[in-house]
Amino acid sequence: MSQDQTSSDPERSTENKSLLTGTIPRRAALTVVLLSLFAVQPVAAQSNAVCSADNLPSMIEGFFQLTTALGIVGLAIVWQADSLIEMFTLNPEQKKGLKRHKRSAMKSAVVLVVLGPLYTVAGSMMGLPLAQCVDLVPW
Protein backbone atom coordinates (compact mmCIF):
# COMPACT_ATOMS: atom_id res chain seq x y z
CA MET A 1 0.00 0.00 0.00
CA SER A 2 2.88 2.38 0.65
CA GLN A 3 4.21 1.76 -2.87
CA ASP A 4 0.92 2.90 -4.36
CA GLN A 5 1.09 6.05 -2.28
CA THR A 6 4.61 7.09 -3.41
CA SER A 7 4.04 6.32 -7.08
CA SER A 8 0.83 8.37 -7.18
CA ASP A 9 2.45 11.43 -5.57
CA PRO A 10 4.52 13.12 -8.33
CA GLU A 11 5.24 16.22 -6.23
CA ARG A 12 7.08 14.16 -3.66
CA SER A 13 9.28 12.45 -6.26
CA THR A 14 10.24 15.76 -7.92
CA GLU A 15 10.94 17.22 -4.48
CA ASN A 16 13.38 14.40 -3.75
CA LYS A 17 15.05 14.85 -7.13
CA SER A 18 15.50 18.59 -6.63
CA LEU A 19 16.99 17.95 -3.19
CA LEU A 20 19.49 15.54 -4.66
CA THR A 21 20.42 17.77 -7.56
CA GLY A 22 20.78 20.76 -5.26
CA THR A 23 22.95 19.17 -2.57
CA ILE A 24 25.46 17.46 -4.84
CA PRO A 25 26.61 20.65 -6.61
CA ARG A 26 26.80 22.45 -3.26
CA ARG A 27 28.97 19.74 -1.80
CA ALA A 28 31.19 19.72 -4.87
CA ALA A 29 31.56 23.50 -4.76
CA LEU A 30 32.35 23.43 -1.05
CA THR A 31 34.95 20.71 -1.62
CA VAL A 32 36.60 22.70 -4.41
CA VAL A 33 36.70 25.86 -2.28
CA LEU A 34 38.17 24.07 0.72
CA LEU A 35 40.76 22.25 -1.37
CA SER A 36 41.77 25.44 -3.14
CA LEU A 37 42.18 27.25 0.18
CA PHE A 38 44.49 24.61 1.59
CA ALA A 39 46.18 23.42 -1.60
CA VAL A 40 46.98 26.90 -2.93
CA GLN A 41 48.73 28.05 0.22
CA PRO A 42 52.08 26.36 -0.57
CA VAL A 43 51.97 27.62 -4.16
CA ALA A 44 51.33 31.18 -3.02
CA ALA A 45 54.28 30.99 -0.64
CA GLN A 46 56.73 30.24 -3.46
CA SER A 47 58.62 33.03 -5.19
CA ASN A 48 56.94 34.60 -8.20
CA ALA A 49 58.34 33.08 -11.39
CA VAL A 50 57.03 35.92 -13.54
CA CYS A 51 58.85 38.62 -11.61
CA SER A 52 62.11 36.67 -11.44
CA ALA A 53 62.23 36.11 -15.23
CA ASP A 54 64.38 38.50 -17.23
CA ASN A 55 62.10 39.88 -19.94
CA LEU A 56 58.74 38.37 -19.04
CA PRO A 57 57.25 41.35 -17.14
CA SER A 58 58.06 43.72 -20.01
CA MET A 59 56.64 41.21 -22.52
CA ILE A 60 53.38 41.00 -20.55
CA GLU A 61 53.18 44.79 -20.40
CA GLY A 62 53.84 45.09 -24.13
CA PHE A 63 51.24 42.45 -24.94
CA PHE A 64 48.65 44.23 -22.83
CA GLN A 65 49.46 47.60 -24.43
CA LEU A 66 49.23 46.04 -27.91
CA THR A 67 45.90 44.34 -27.27
CA THR A 68 44.47 47.52 -25.71
CA ALA A 69 45.58 49.59 -28.71
CA LEU A 70 44.12 47.03 -31.12
CA GLY A 71 40.87 47.05 -29.16
CA ILE A 72 40.60 50.83 -29.36
CA VAL A 73 41.40 50.81 -33.09
CA GLY A 74 38.83 48.03 -33.54
CA LEU A 75 36.26 50.14 -31.70
CA ALA A 76 36.94 53.09 -34.01
CA ILE A 77 36.58 50.89 -37.10
CA VAL A 78 33.36 49.26 -35.88
CA TRP A 79 31.91 52.60 -34.83
CA GLN A 80 32.65 54.23 -38.19
CA ALA A 81 31.40 51.22 -40.17
CA ASP A 82 28.18 51.08 -38.17
CA SER A 83 27.66 54.83 -38.63
CA LEU A 84 28.21 54.51 -42.37
CA ILE A 85 25.80 51.59 -42.65
CA GLU A 86 23.30 53.44 -40.48
CA MET A 87 23.24 56.37 -42.94
CA PHE A 88 22.12 54.10 -45.78
CA THR A 89 19.66 52.02 -43.75
CA LEU A 90 16.00 52.91 -44.01
CA ASN A 91 14.57 50.19 -41.77
CA PRO A 92 14.15 51.45 -38.16
CA GLU A 93 14.66 47.94 -36.77
CA GLN A 94 18.05 47.68 -38.47
CA LYS A 95 19.03 51.11 -37.16
CA LYS A 96 18.18 49.98 -33.62
CA GLY A 97 20.32 46.88 -34.14
CA LEU A 98 23.25 48.98 -35.35
CA LYS A 99 22.92 51.30 -32.35
CA ARG A 100 22.93 48.26 -30.05
CA HIS A 101 26.04 46.97 -31.81
CA LYS A 102 27.78 50.33 -31.38
CA ARG A 103 26.85 50.37 -27.69
CA SER A 104 28.16 46.84 -27.24
CA ALA A 105 31.44 47.75 -28.93
CA MET A 106 31.79 50.80 -26.68
CA LYS A 107 31.19 48.72 -23.55
CA SER A 108 33.82 46.21 -24.65
CA ALA A 109 36.38 48.96 -25.28
CA VAL A 110 35.68 50.57 -21.90
CA VAL A 111 36.16 47.24 -20.15
CA LEU A 112 39.38 46.67 -22.09
CA VAL A 113 40.79 50.08 -21.16
CA VAL A 114 39.68 49.96 -17.49
CA LEU A 115 40.69 46.37 -16.75
CA GLY A 116 44.47 46.86 -16.74
CA PRO A 117 44.63 49.89 -14.43
CA LEU A 118 42.01 48.33 -12.18
CA TYR A 119 44.09 45.15 -11.82
CA THR A 120 47.25 47.17 -11.22
CA VAL A 121 45.69 49.28 -8.47
CA ALA A 122 43.63 46.52 -6.84
CA GLY A 123 46.45 43.98 -7.16
CA SER A 124 48.97 46.25 -5.46
CA MET A 125 46.47 47.01 -2.69
CA MET A 126 45.82 43.29 -2.14
CA GLY A 127 49.50 42.44 -2.36
CA LEU A 128 49.26 40.22 -5.43
CA PRO A 129 52.78 39.32 -6.57
CA LEU A 130 52.12 39.84 -10.29
CA ALA A 131 50.88 43.39 -9.68
CA GLN A 132 54.18 44.25 -7.98
CA CYS A 133 56.30 43.75 -11.09
CA VAL A 134 53.91 44.10 -14.05
CA ASP A 135 52.30 47.45 -14.85
CA LEU A 136 49.15 46.89 -16.91
CA VAL A 137 48.29 50.56 -17.41
CA PRO A 138 48.21 50.93 -21.20
CA TRP A 139 49.36 54.57 -21.35
Side-chain angles (χ1 to χ4, degrees):
M1 181 157 309
S2 65
Q3 289 176 348
D4 292 331
Q5 207 173 21
T6 57
S7 64
S8 66
D9 193 7
E11 290 180 12
R12 186 177 183 131
S13 63
T14 57
E15 192 175 300
N16 288 338
K17 287 181 185 176
S18 66
L19 275 175
L20 290 176
T21 57
T23 57
I24 292 173
R26 285 189 201 141
R27 287 183 184 168
L30 182 62
T31 304
V32 168
V33 168
L34 289 176
L35 283 176
S36 65
L37 285 175
F38 294 113
V40 174
Q41 287 285 351
V43 175
Q46 296 175 359
S47 66
N48 192 358
V50 174
C51 292
S52 62
D54 290 334
N55 293 329
L56 194 57
S58 62
M59 286 174 62
I60 293 172
E61 291 171 6
F63 176 76
F64 189 78
Q65 289 173 354
L66 179 69
T67 55
T68 303
L70 287 175
I72 292 171
V73 169
L75 168 70
I77 291 171
V78 166
W79 192 274
Q80 291 301 318
D82 283 349
S83 296
L84 182 66
I85 294 169
E86 192 177 351
M87 286 192 313
F88 297 109
T89 302
L90 297 176
N91 188 354
E93 191 62 36
Q94 288 177 339
K95 285 187 178 188
K96 286 181 185 177
L98 287 169
K99 287 185 189 255
R100 264 188 308 230
H101 188 252
K102 285 168 60 173
R103 231 182 339 228
S104 172
M106 180 61 83
K107 287 178 186 176
S108 297
V110 166
V111 166
L112 186 64
V113 170
V114 170
L115 201 60
L118 183 67
Y119 176 78
T120 301
V121 170
S124 63
M125 287 174 58
M126 290 189 293
L128 296 176
L130 186 63
Q132 304 299 328
C133 64
V134 176
D135 185 21
L136 295 179
V137 178
W139 49 85

